[in-house]
Amino acid sequence: MRFQNWDVRGFDRDAAVNLCREGFNPLISVLLVSRGVTDGEEVRSLISEGAGSLYDPFLLADMGKAVARINAAIAASERIAVFGDYDVDGMTSCAMLSIWLRSKKADYEVYIPSRLDEGYGLSKSALDKLKANGVNLVVTVDCGITAVEEAAHARALGMSLVITDHHECKTELPDADAVVDPKRPDCAYPNKVLAGVGVAFKLICALEPGIPTGELIDKYADLVALGTIADVMPVAGENRELIRYGLKLINEEPRLGLRYLLAETIAERRRVTSATVGFALAPRLNAAGRMGRTELALELLLTGDDSEAAQLAEMLGEMNDRRREMELSIFEEAASMLPEAAPDGPIVLAKRGWYQGVTGIVAAKMAERYGVPAIIISIDDDGVGRGSCRSAGSFRIYEALRSCEDLLDNYGGHDMASGVTIADGQIEEFRKRITGIYKESSGDSPARGLRLDFEVEKPELLAIENIAALESLEPFGAGHAPPCICIRDALLTSVQSIGSGKHSRLRIEKSGKFLDCIFFSMPAEDLGVGEGMRVDVAFEPQINVFRGRSSVQLHVFDMRPALPD
């Protein structure tokens, strides 16, 4: 059992019946009613294939200034640098702006700092290099909003700076030619949760007022979808529209590099969903940044050569395999440093020699396993710690860092994921401070809970045609999660180990209906239940396709001995 508490939301039967009478699928009706969606028009808007309206890009503060400066640079043949980040959001932003600048025959270059040698964001040394290379204008994507000192340095060098970002702002904004970020306190843009690539797309829309937005979506939405999903931005409103169109492009006419990258994964012959991006595409693209070779992922997104695309996709696959090995090693070592009792506050672990490129993944896995915020810090030979922070529940990690800023050399990010730079000697005090903040905000630490939509009382609801209908609710993601439902008091009829013992294949029986289950990252010996026992199962219903045959399969999140009524 992974979760101590299961919180089953339940649903209003009369409201679900009403939606069914309006012609909606019964499984969709029950799921949406459990989430508070009872109006037929709202359901239609969720499953509609039509395009909703996107907001005017000039609602973003400083967008007019950004457009004027970039157009002036192109007209004057000034050298432009696109300055990005080494994650998928940053890479896709850089790729998109590169494609646009290339179409304008602009003189430009892309600069993505090395994760291992330079760290995140603008730096004075990077600006010095760009100045020496003849750059007059730096346009940031997915970074720059906290670069106050760096912006002053750029101005001292005589360089122009346009910042586009989506991260949280500090009290002082950088002194740049334009600062475009929906999280600016004075910004009226309605969508405050654009990804960095979403802001970059809005910039291109503003730069192309004569081109219909639909044409720009057809050209760039796949990149917007990749970056938005990978950065775990809420799948709602404008983001949902952009992701939906982007996934459609990837499925119908993927750009060359993505086609070869899909061929390297088990997802090659499947319909690409937001989940596919999360487990197949994003990790491989991110592996380039984590292993210090971000340029390979960028080249893959930009290439038009089949041979190069195939080679780059293969290299990213190999890097991802190495990344997994390093991640597992550090995760196991970090877990061994925890006390035997489950942590009831933030996990803050630091060590010299940990590979910085995978600390973010390790922190995310620690937060997921233990249900508390996790901060994993790699300390270099000079005693400087660089840490990745991942939140859990409703804890706002960025706000917590703001309360600790006197202990930090630098920090940035947002409330679910952030990064810190901290001196070795400050880590213990930082651990105490952030633990206190967590306990004040959370009160007595609650038992870790799993939020479920509803209980399936009649297994007939899980007919394959009903599960297939869930596709109309895609894309799923943050703020619009895939179904998480449960069956209680089922008979566990079969348990098998698969994947070299790492995973379990199960079979359950309820009311005379047998259902196949898969429980990833759960060895059979750790299940805590065995064949012949009555069990409760929490899962997402899916369709498994094997050798051309489709069948219902439950993707298990948790399993426990059946609780009495």
Side-chain angles (χ1 to χ4, degrees):
M1 187 170 66
R2 285 178 169 172
F3 297 88
Q4 294 169 281
N5 288 334
W6 290 12
D7 178 14
V8 184
R9 194 163 11 199
F11 64 97
D12 183 317
R13 294 179 187 278
D14 290 339
V17 168
N18 287 338
L19 288 182
C20 288
R21 285 174 178 164
E22 289 191 50
F24 297 110
N25 176 272
L27 183 54
I28 286 177
S29 298
V30 172
L31 175 66
L32 293 181
V33 167
S34 78
R35 296 181 178 187
V37 180
T38 59
D39 179 72
E41 286 305 312
E42 191 174 354
V43 177
R44 289 184 188 91
S45 72
L46 279 172
I47 64 179
S48 170
E49 290 295 330
S53 59
L54 302 183
Y55 299 118
D56 181 349
F58 286 98
L59 291 175
L60 284 157
D62 275 9
M63 182 60 85
K65 295 178 181 179
V67 167
R69 185 62 189 92
I70 293 169
N71 281 335
I74 294 172
S77 300
E78 296 179 72
R79 187 162 180 81
I80 301 169
V82 179
F83 194 106
D85 186 19
Y86 37 66
D87 66 0
V88 177
D89 193 11
M91 293 175 202
T92 51
S93 301
C94 286
M96 187 165 55
L97 206 50
S98 293
I99 294 167
W100 185 82
L101 287 167
R102 187 184 298 168
S103 74
K104 301 301 177 185
K105 297 182 172 52
D107 180 14
Y108 79 96
E109 65 178 275
V110 175
Y111 191 103
I112 300 178
S114 166
R115 184 182 207 125
L116 307 179
D117 300 326
E118 298 176 87
Y120 170 80
L122 277 174
S123 66
K124 294 177 183 178
S125 60
L127 290 169
D128 289 341
K129 293 176 190 175
L130 293 171
K131 178 65 176 178
N133 204 30
V135 169
N136 291 326
L137 169 63
V138 177
V139 180
T140 76
V141 288
D142 194 31
C143 64
I145 195 62
T146 62
V148 174
E149 292 184 8
E150 291 78 10
H153 187 68
R155 194 165 291 282
L157 291 172
M159 300 170 73
S160 293
L161 178 63
V162 169
I163 291 172
T164 76
D165 201 350
H166 74 124
H167 292 99
E168 298 287 345
C169 307
K170 293 183 180 178
T171 305
E172 182 182 0
L173 292 177
D175 179 19
D177 292 66
V179 179
V180 181
D181 186 328
K183 289 193 172 73
R184 277 182 59 162
D186 61 341
C187 183
Y189 197 76
N191 182 8
K192 300 296 184 183
V193 290
L194 280 170
V197 70
V199 179
F201 176 70
K202 288 294 175 178
L203 174 64
I204 290 177
C205 290
L207 285 162
E208 294 284 12
I211 297 181
T213 304
E215 290 185 24
L216 297 174
I217 287 175
D218 286 341
K219 189 168 186 178
Y220 300 113
D222 57 338
L223 296 174
V224 180
L226 283 175
T228 303
I229 294 168
D231 225 42
V232 201
M233 292 293 103
V235 182
E238 190 175 42
N239 286 0
R240 181 176 173 80
E241 294 288 352
L242 291 168
I243 291 171
R244 175 181 281 159
Y245 273 94
L247 291 175
K248 184 178 180 182
L249 282 176
I250 294 171
N251 279 292
E252 294 179 357
E253 195 175 350
R255 65 181 68 232
L256 189 65
L258 294 181
R259 178 155 58 83
Y260 277 96
L261 194 61
L262 280 166
E264 286 286 316
T265 77
I266 61 172
E268 179 186 12
R269 298 182 183 275
R270 301 179 186 176
R271 188 179 65 87
V272 177
T273 66
S274 52
T276 314
V277 173
F279 78 78
L281 296 178
R284 285 166 172 79
L285 292 169
N286 262 329
R290 296 187 188 285
M291 306 304 286
R293 297 293 306 278
T294 310
E295 72 280 0
L296 298 182
L298 183 63
E299 289 167 12
L300 180 80
L301 294 173
L302 294 174
T303 187
D305 180 83
D306 282 86
S307 177
E308 182 182 36
Q311 183 180 15
L312 288 168
E314 182 179 2
M315 292 172 69
L316 290 181
E318 293 170 353
M319 282 185 182
N320 194 46
D321 290 339
R322 293 203 301 274
R323 183 273 302 169
R324 282 179 180 154
E325 294 172 2
M326 299 176 75
E327 167 205 323
L328 178 61
S329 174
I330 293 175
F331 178 84
E332 290 177 344
E333 186 176 8
S336 72
M337 295 165 65
L338 295 173
E340 289 187 13
D344 62 354
I347 295 168
V348 181
L349 298 173
K351 188 175 178 184
R352 291 178 185 270
W354 275 347
Y355 186 75
Q356 185 191 337
V358 299
T359 54
I361 307 179
V362 174
K365 287 185 177 293
M366 297 288 272
E368 179 183 2
R369 172 171 289 191
Y370 297 104
V372 295
I375 301 169
I376 303 298
I377 302 170
S378 170
I379 305 171
D380 66 19
D381 292 337
D382 296 323
V384 177
R386 292 182 173 84
S388 295
C389 317
R390 297 294 183 270
S391 189
S394 60
F395 185 67
R396 302 176 66 183
I397 193 74
Y398 182 84
E399 288 302 312
L401 296 179
R402 191 194 296 272
S403 299
C404 301
E405 64 182 354
D406 58 305
L407 302 174
L408 306 174
D409 293 338
N410 200 4
Y411 70 99
H414 48 78
D415 279 334
M416 293 307 295
S418 296
V420 298
T421 305
I422 183 171
D424 188 2
Q426 299 281 24
I427 292 174
E428 185 56 38
E429 180 59 29
F430 172 65
R431 181 185 289 113
K432 292 176 183 176
R433 179 93 60 89
I434 206 160
T435 298
I437 294 168
Y438 177 80
K439 298 213 168 176
E440 283 179 14
S441 67
S442 305
D444 293 331
S445 181
R448 189 179 180 211
L450 175 64
R451 188 76 182 270
L452 296 128
D453 292 300
F454 62 91
E455 176 188 351
V456 176
E457 295 180 356
K458 295 182 179 180
E460 293 79 11
L461 188 63
L462 300 176
I464 194 166
E465 61 269 20
N466 289 343
I467 297 171
L470 292 172
E471 181 179 323
S472 65
L473 294 177
E474 285 277 3
F476 292 114
H480 180 58
C484 182
I485 58 185
C486 69
I487 289 177
R488 287 188 167 120
D489 196 32
L491 177 66
L492 182 58
T493 63
S494 173
V495 178
Q496 290 179 290
S497 291
I498 58 173
S500 303
K502 296 177 183 178
H503 317 296
S504 297
R505 178 181 289 131
L506 316 163
R507 203 168 203 225
I508 62 171
E509 180 268 327
K510 173 75 173 182
S511 301
K513 184 175 179 62
F514 289 86
L515 294 162
D516 294 321
C517 310
I518 187 81
F519 200 165
F520 291 112
S521 302
M522 178 57 72
E525 61 269 20
D526 293 342
L527 279 170
V529 293
E531 291 181 6
M533 292 181 63
R534 310 295 299 189
V535 294
D536 297 338
V537 187
F539 60 91
E540 176 191 353
Q542 296 180 337
I543 295 176
N544 182 47
V545 180
F546 183 67
R547 293 179 179 173
R549 178 178 172 270
S550 298
S551 61
V552 174
Q553 179 175 268
L554 311 185
H555 176 194
V556 177
F557 299 125
D558 202 8
M559 180 177 285
R560 67 187 185 189
L563 298 182
D565 292 335

